[in-house]
Amino acid sequence: MSLDEFGLIERIRRRAGVRADVALGIGDDAALLQMPPGQQLVVTADTLNSGVHFPAETPPADIGWKALAVNLSDLAAMGAAPAWCTLSLSLPEASPTWVDAFADGFFELADLHDMALIGGDTTRGPLSISITAMGHVPTGEALRRDGAQPGDDVWVTGVPGEAGVALALWQQQRLEVSGPASDAALEHLRCRLARPTPRLAAGWALRGLATAAIDISDGLLADLGHICERSQVAAEVLEDELPMSQMAAQAGEAALFRTLRASAGDDYELCFTAPASVRGQVIESMASVAVPVTRIGCIRTGSGVRRVDGEGAVLPASRRGFDHFPAEGRSTGL
Ligand code: ADP
Ligand code: MG
């Protein structure tokens, strides 16, 4: 069975969450939203294209989760509270089965964060999901990329690099992403790629503590480099301090993980800077939201990101950022 455009929109509309600050949601020419007083609107957009941002055989529920997760991660990196989103879908065919499965993953995550879907667009074309996410933050309190100061610590949440291991294993045809893996460690790695956890509570907890923050979509060093550029500072990352993945080790992929952890993207962890004087508060605040956090380096005067080993020797720059178009093996698309 296939449905017309309005049938598809209705299938999505009936699952959209309700919020008191949505004066008018899906169904009119545009939505009407009530901003809370004293807050700034935070807006971000991200598109996922099939075969570029996710393997074509990814289950639709995972696509729905991830498309929203990457947007929520941007709100997290700003310290924003999520509120509303739009969803623009380009679909090769009007399949209700696909839309329902997509909505399962999308609304599972949206409902977790009280995010209301307030509009969108539905068109025919190659599979592509474009989301605009909106949230709010008390005026002047957003976490930005441009506040890092020499002497600040550099911190990271979670274990960046696990999604990169899953992607590498998929490219080497050693991991399928079309369904759960039978091995528990491999399944953990697959989920890091397919269903990343946006660090929203960590973002809020860092308001007033972090001097700069970014979410890791392109790789730890590349994204820390963006903080450095915007803040006009340099960063030094201590290779030996980077978190190790127990799960990659359990899967026998510790070496692969080590080669990827500084450069692989797609984990959507937060990288942030904070003055050394609030070190204890950073640890306490992350513990209060149950988010693992690791101090991995410091900010210096100058420019660029340097990786140094235990003896202080500078390591060669690794591949910068995730490559959408790898030359060999399975690519995520073309
Ligand atoms: P218009 O022609 O004014 O763009 P549409 O027919 O595209 O209106 O959409 C009708 C209503 O359905 C609008 O409120 C729009 O925001 C909403 N909508 C369309 N597609 C989606 C979607 N994929 N998800 C959520 N809302 C959607
Ligand atoms: Mg429209």
Side-chain angles (χ1 to χ4, degrees):
M1 180 177 77
S2 80
L3 292 174
D4 64 7
E5 180 187 334
F6 299 102
L8 285 181
I9 296 171
E10 178 53 25
R11 282 186 108 76
I12 295 169
R13 188 203 58 77
R14 67 185 182 209
R15 298 179 63 169
V18 180
R19 282 177 64 104
D21 53 15
V22 179
L24 186 61
I26 295 173
D28 214 304
D29 294 312
L32 294 173
L33 308 171
Q34 196 61 49
M35 271 294 288
Q39 305 263 323
Q40 287 175 311
L41 178 66
V42 184
V43 185
T44 181
D46 259 312
T47 298
L48 298 192
N49 292 327
S50 179
V52 179
H53 300 95
F54 57 86
E57 69 268 27
T58 305
D62 287 347
I63 299 171
W65 174 288
K66 185 160 182 174
L68 184 57
V70 303
N71 281 278
L72 286 171
S73 177
D74 282 320
L75 294 182
M78 299 298 292
W84 317 292
C85 65
T86 64
L87 169 64
S88 294
L89 281 175
S90 162
L91 302 173
E93 55 178 338
S95 157
T97 323
W98 192 94
V99 166
D100 287 350
F102 173 89
D104 286 344
F106 179 91
F107 287 112
E108 187 182 342
L109 184 59
D111 294 346
L112 262 179
H113 295 288
D114 192 22
M115 175 142 253
L117 179 65
I118 50 103
D121 202 18
T122 307
T123 57
R124 185 183 296 275
L127 180 59
S128 173
I129 302 98
S130 191
I131 292 176
T132 298
M134 287 154 275
H136 42 76
V137 66
T139 301
E141 289 186 27
L143 306 176
R144 304 161 49 136
R145 297 180 179 181
D146 59 4
Q149 298 285 333
D152 282 355
D153 294 325
V154 178
W155 299 83
V156 74
T157 63
V159 185
E162 290 189 333
V165 170
L167 186 68
L169 292 176
W170 172 78
Q171 283 169 337
Q172 296 166 18
Q173 310 200 0
R174 294 164 60 206
L175 176 69
E176 295 305 327
V177 295
S178 52
S182 50
D183 175 86
L186 285 176
E187 176 58 5
H188 170 89
L189 297 172
R190 186 191 70 83
C191 287
R192 296 310 300 147
L193 180 66
R195 293 200 172 218
T197 309
R199 296 295 195 185
L200 287 152
W204 312 329
L206 288 170
R207 285 185 206 151
L209 282 180
T211 49
I214 191 167
D215 67 320
I216 305 176
S217 53
D218 295 336
L220 174 60
L221 297 180
D223 287 317
L224 179 55
H226 296 314
I227 286 184
C228 289
E229 280 156 31
R230 297 297 305 249
S231 301
Q232 296 186 294
V233 293
E236 200 168 277
V237 170
L238 305 170
E239 177 73 22
D240 294 352
E241 301 299 325
L242 294 178
M244 185 56 207
S245 166
Q246 299 308 322
M247 287 301 173
Q250 202 174 306
E253 303 295 345
L256 178 64
F257 174 79
R258 273 198 202 88
T259 65
L260 289 172
R261 63 182 169 181
S263 59
D266 250 10
D267 288 285
Y268 302 97
E269 295 295 347
L270 297 183
C271 175
F272 61 94
T273 59
S277 57
V278 298
R279 222 171 252 179
Q281 281 170 268
V282 167
I283 291 169
E284 265 171 42
S285 69
M286 292 299 97
S288 74
V289 293
V291 172
V293 71
T294 311
R295 187 159 56 88
I296 59 164
C298 63
I299 296 295
R300 304 232 188 258
T301 55
S303 63
V305 180
R306 294 191 311 158
R307 263 197 319 168
V308 298
D309 68 12
E311 274 80 54
V314 177
L315 296 166
S318 63
R319 188 168 66 90
R320 280 180 73 84
F322 169 66
D323 183 0
H324 277 207
F325 303 101
E328 284 169 31
R330 244 169 176 178
S331 86
T332 46
L334 311 167

